[in-house]
Amino acid sequence: MAKNIKLRIWRGDANTGKLEDVSVEANEGEVVLDVIHRVQATQMGDLAVRWNCKAGKCGSCSMEINGKPRLACMTQVANYADDETITITPLRAFPVIKDLVTDVSFNYKKAMEVESFTPPADLKPGAARMQQIDVERSQEFRKCIECFLCQDTCHVIRDHEENKKSFAGPRFFIRIAELDMHPLDMLKNRKQKAQEEHGLGMCNITKCCTEVCPEHIRITDNAIIPMKERVVDIKYDPVRWLGSKIRKREGIV
Amino acid sequence: MSEKIQMERHNYDVVVIGAGGAGLRAAVEARTAGLRVAIICKSLFGKAHTVMAEGGVAASMGNVNENDGWKVHFRDTMRGGKFLNHYRMAELHAKEAPDRVWELELWGALFDRTAEGKISQRNFGGHEYPRLAHVGDRTGLELIRTMQQKIVAMQQQDKKDHGDAESFIKVFAEVTVTEVLKENGKVSGVYGYKRENGVEVLFEAQAVILATGGVGKTFKITSNSWEGTGDGHALALKAGGNLVDMEFLQFHPTGMVWPPSVRGILVTESVRGEGGVLTNNKGERFMFKYIPDVFKDKYADNEAEADRWYVDQDNNRRPPELLPRDEVARAINTEVKAGRGSEHGGVFLDVSKRLTEEVIKKRLPSMWHQFYELAGVDITKEAMEVGPTCHYVMGGVEVDPDTAAAVGVPGLFAAGEVAGGMHGSNRLGGNSLSDLLVFGRRAGAGAADYVKQSQPTKVSESAIKNAQEKIAAPFKRTGGENPYSLHQELQEITHNLVGIIRTKTELADAINKIANIRKRIENVSVAGNRLFNPGFHLSFDLDNMLLVAESTAKSAIVREESRGGHTRDDFPTMDAKWRTLNNITSFNGKEVVVKQQGLPSMPSELFDLFDIHELEKYMSKEETAKGGR
């Protein structure tokens, strides 16, 4: 059942690069990462690609397949017509290192800027009691495998390098939402900081991030919109506004 | 490659090689003890193979059944390992696992809950009570993310206190370590290169912690990611350390078998823990035929009792689908060989008849996802096809149980899958995540104590030069062997000759063939340059995998018995004599050498935890008569 398929793979480095056409064998049930590996083993020994688990669990093999941000290990070759050329390019929002590998350090810098989990100071190991229904909201966001496809597709930074400084991106909005909804987190002003320090306001909820999420996390509906609504409430509630000015307190809620 | 070699030089107190669960836990501990720590990741930070652990972390918290406790966990672990475990490791593990789980909760982990709001615990093969703390079927991801975020939290604190987030812990992602360096018999640092640009990097450090995980990529069908190439096993051997019992490999009974591209991908044991049953092509629930004598009193021998156990565990014996993994893997192998397998050479695993669609999607979400997207199978409606896959190596670096110090190499430590002894001949599900927390912490503390008591050693120029020459070698050759083809050949050899069922002739054949590949690897040449070059990376991984395969084959040929993850067709039963012996592998620079060493015997306070009649099934009359030390 093996057949030959046509791939067009971007090859190059930070300075220069081009699309190269190759023909490669594909077998029943194979995913795009399988055929990339076959190209690597038989035709391009130094073709650079990141991958780890090949089971959709680690989020390493993020790339753009026919222009769509996807995990190569979860993309069936059979999704494409037999005579179709599958074009494979590196993530567009991040600088290329080589071929399909990009420099994703932006995301690690942003992770460092989100204030960490802050449990009650006197919480003893084993003493926490939480209901399943209360942990599930944050658990949804903790499913994130950090593939950064949401970051790649987000139009705030995809073609706007200048926005990167002030915009953390969807991955970190769900991180903030996760901590905000975490039953044991004591830091009270996370939503406001998302707005003021992490660029939540720049998101205009086009839901592109939700569409590409391989974990099907409802990034926009369950994290971004609820945080935006609460921030708006706080900002435009005159009593609260006055209270915050008078007492100069930082915390909300 | 005639250009001048570029080299970065770093100085730390301790270098942790590996950023999976054990490595990150070790780094947290070493930093807490005041040390400056470098964490070296083979991949990006947060991508380690630990993310693939699904079922849970075993810890006898007693949240679901209060009869549980460390003694019960200890007994289960020793039984699972068929009493070849290092008793002290199994003891420390059972005693400390609950604290390690609770501590994760203080760092932000969100485990699933019981009705009372405690951490929920699920059933798993070989565990007497529900014991595995879990987050759906993505528990490993939760562990990695929690510790990754704990390290970020420590870095943020260091920034506040010292002005620089990386003043005490720095993560070096995508670095290949080629060598652990020694001066005057002691560890002096590590050498390697950055994958993204090929720049070489020297870490001077008094202590090095190996936390590199497993060896699965040595085999053709495996649940392991590309990282599982036995790097730490090989680094330890080359540095003068020993490996213990490398013949014991765990073939997880349930890997995917179809389509071919996903063959080997793990199907979590939670599927059986949640009520999934195994059947052959005749529709027969075959596991009842495979309950070994040593387990007859603990496992149900009929379907009615097995089914009742899911609702009443106190008055019924467990279903045989939940036997330890080695038993289930062998049973599936036998069924398939006897012609009772599924169309694609596996057996059927079905959870759809016991649980509703809603419950399956909630408790086994990534399994549902994995089968639906990769195999076109809806597990809420139909059975999965599953078969054994190389999953875990019980063998590993010989260490001191309390400090995780590698025997024979001052300054070297090992924790997690790369360390040996803890699991004996077979690991229970859930005991790997607890292992890496317990011994990751101990390795961090062990390294900290060592650093405080010893003097730094300078790395000599000659050691640097030697390391540099090894890295340059594959580029200096042209027209040599292709590393990808050699890797495939090695995988065929291990799969066919060192697999689940072994014989003397096949193992001897394997040893010859591996030696032949070792000769040919000296001719490996790679295309392209040093910039993120997978062929170049593979040439080093291949060297490591060859040392591992040789250790496994040579240990397997001398152990003339069947026990846990080592089954000899020509010696099909356990031999009490071999229960008292570890196979110790060392490397003389040319080949690996295996010798036998006595297994430490249990002190009486542990020995007496067992029913003497149970011990009689494993031990000789002399041993049971003598009792504990």
Side-chain angles (χ1 to χ4, degrees), chain A residues 122-130 184, chain B residues 61 63 102-103 105-106 113 116-119:
Chain A
D122 57 348
L123 183 66
K124 297 279 180 295
R129 295 290 178 272
M130 294 178 267
L184 296 177
Chain B
M61 296 180 285
N63 291 352
W102 285 321
E103 147 189 284
E105 202 161 62
L106 299 188
R113 318 306 295 182
E116 301 160 274
K118 295 180 181 174
I119 295 173

Side-chain angles (χ1 to χ4, degrees), chain B residues 83 602 607 610-619 624:
Chain B
F83 288 83
M602 278 191 276
F607 189 95
F610 295 93
D611 182 323
I612 195 75
H613 298 301
E614 178 174 18
L615 294 179
E616 282 166 355
K617 295 173 187 170
Y618 299 93
M619 296 178 178
T624 48

